[in-house]
Amino acid sequence: MIVDNRESGAPPRVRAAFPSAREAFAAFLRSVTATAAGTVLLPAYIGWSAREGSGVFDPVRASGLPYRFYRMTRDLRIDVDSVVAMLTGDVRVLVLIHYFGWPDPAASYLAHEARRRGVHVLEDEAHALLTDVIGGAAGRSGDAAIYSLHKMLPVTSGGMLVWNDGNDLGATGEGSSTDVSLDTRFDLAALAGRRIGNDAHVRHLLQPLAGRVDPLWPTTPAGVVPQSFPVLLRHADRTQVYHAMNARGFGVVSLYHTMIREITLAEFPDSHWLAQRIMNLPIHPSVSDSGMRQLVDELDRLSHG
């Protein structure tokens, strides 16, 4: 069921369309710092690639705003104490990233604590569009959320900035902002259902590989619509397995294999530990049951180390 604030009596969400999620993020930063600049808090797990740069960090760098990183654990969960300790002084923005479609268990609490202190909260839903609009498990704790359409839908580009609580901070004259609707060509509920089914199927198939290839998170909560299925390679060289799997056409990715240089090994060793071991298995709607079985069989063969 699609969740819509207007059905529940809550203020409407105001949507603005942009060419990309990073441009939507940049517009959010300009809006909330127009009258008072301040520090942006970001999770210490942000990737970079030579082809795309960093969709999360590039807008922050371009804004010229000061920034700090809060700690993430080896299972990619927020170090809550790290965030709470930083919500002081000139902090203006807290960014919460819903990695691979999963909101962090502490995200709502931290958003509440931040907003209580006058800090604006952005939910980065580049991977969590369907967790928001279908599952209803994300997108409502912060001031706003951003979507990356091409990461969850069969389109080549597009981003969206969504303001909550009838917020008019988005009236910056940017984007196309009068309650822009998502593309009605796509059956979002069906796409979400297929992803949820594939998530459950691959989780089952991976059980015999326990101790060699483990799901990053033990369960997928209700309401979560995964973008991909993150696993940890315990013994095998992730880079070698990644290249071997893709040479056989399985389309795995590694989010994120390379941290931005600002997230240093010395300060954030757990982030780098994870970046060396994570691999994301495809669970998009076009992945068949037989294709997933073949993928796991190949992963079984390659993962002994």
Side-chain angles (χ1 to χ4, degrees):
M1 179 176 67
I2 295 178
V3 176
D4 188 323
N5 280 356
R6 286 165 294 186
E7 292 295 322
S8 64
R13 305 175 82 194
V14 179
R15 301 180 178 93
F18 290 85
S20 67
R22 70 177 65 198
E23 292 182 60
F25 185 18
F28 171 84
L29 291 175
R30 285 192 293 271
S31 179
V32 300
T33 62
T35 57
T39 298
V40 181
L41 297 185
L42 299 152
Y45 194 76
I46 296 173
W48 173 90
S49 73
R51 185 179 66 179
E52 297 183 350
S54 174
V56 177
F57 191 63
D58 288 349
V60 177
R61 180 190 288 116
S63 74
L65 295 167
Y67 54 83
R68 295 177 68 194
F69 300 101
Y70 55 86
R71 295 186 181 280
M72 304 294 293
T73 66
R74 287 189 174 189
D75 58 353
L76 200 54
R77 294 305 192 196
I78 297 171
D79 181 329
V80 174
D81 291 340
S82 173
V83 178
V84 172
M86 291 181 175
L87 292 175
T88 59
D90 71 339
V91 171
R92 185 69 172 166
V93 176
L94 171 65
V95 178
L96 300 170
I97 300 179
H98 302 326
Y99 293 101
F100 326 133
W102 276 263
D104 190 280
S108 293
Y109 165 74
L110 291 172
H112 171 76
E113 288 300 301
R115 297 182 76 186
R116 187 169 67 84
R117 291 166 167 80
V119 175
H120 293 287
V121 178
L122 178 73
E123 296 184 59
D124 182 332
E125 297 185 340
H127 297 162
L129 184 157
L130 296 177
T131 298
D132 181 331
V133 301
I134 298 297
R140 290 108 182 137
S141 297
D143 295 277
I146 55 172
Y147 304 154
S148 179
L149 302 185
H150 73 277
K151 291 182 180 178
M152 295 302 296
L153 301 175
V155 296
T156 58
S157 63
M160 194 170 286
L161 174 59
V162 184
W163 294 91
N164 291 326
D165 303 328
N167 200 327
D168 62 359
L169 287 171
T172 61
E174 301 179 78
S176 172
S177 66
T178 42
D179 196 21
V180 175
S181 297
L182 291 170
D183 196 321
T184 55
R185 291 176 298 167
F186 305 119
D187 185 339
L188 300 184
L191 294 175
R194 183 63 181 168
R195 285 182 177 274
I196 291 169
N198 283 345
D199 172 270
H201 187 46
V202 74
R203 191 178 290 278
H204 172 74
L205 292 174
L206 285 170
Q207 289 178 358
L209 282 64
R212 291 184 285 126
V213 181
D214 292 325
L216 178 61
W217 297 307
T219 60
T220 302
V224 169
V225 183
Q227 179 260 357
S228 59
F229 193 93
V231 298
L232 293 176
L233 299 187
R234 297 294 186 182
H235 307 297
D237 183 290
R238 191 279 318 284
T239 301
Q240 291 182 4
V241 174
Y242 167 87
H243 287 300
M245 293 289 288
N246 283 332
R248 292 161 175 77
F250 287 110
V252 299
V253 296
S254 181
L255 299 172
Y256 300 94
H257 54 77
T258 303
M259 295 287 95
I260 58 173
R261 66 176 182 269
E262 289 80 3
I263 298 175
T264 65
L265 174 60
E267 189 173 4
F268 300 105
D270 288 343
S271 296
H272 285 262
W273 182 93
L274 179 60
Q276 293 169 4
R277 292 165 175 80
I278 195 168
M279 194 164 71
N280 300 69
L281 309 183
I283 55 170
H284 50 77
S286 62
V287 177
S288 66
D289 289 353
S290 61
M292 196 167 294
R293 166 62 74 177
Q294 293 171 14
L295 181 153
V296 173
D297 286 347
E298 187 66 12
L299 192 54
D300 186 13
R301 188 181 73 82
L302 293 168
S303 62
H304 289 274

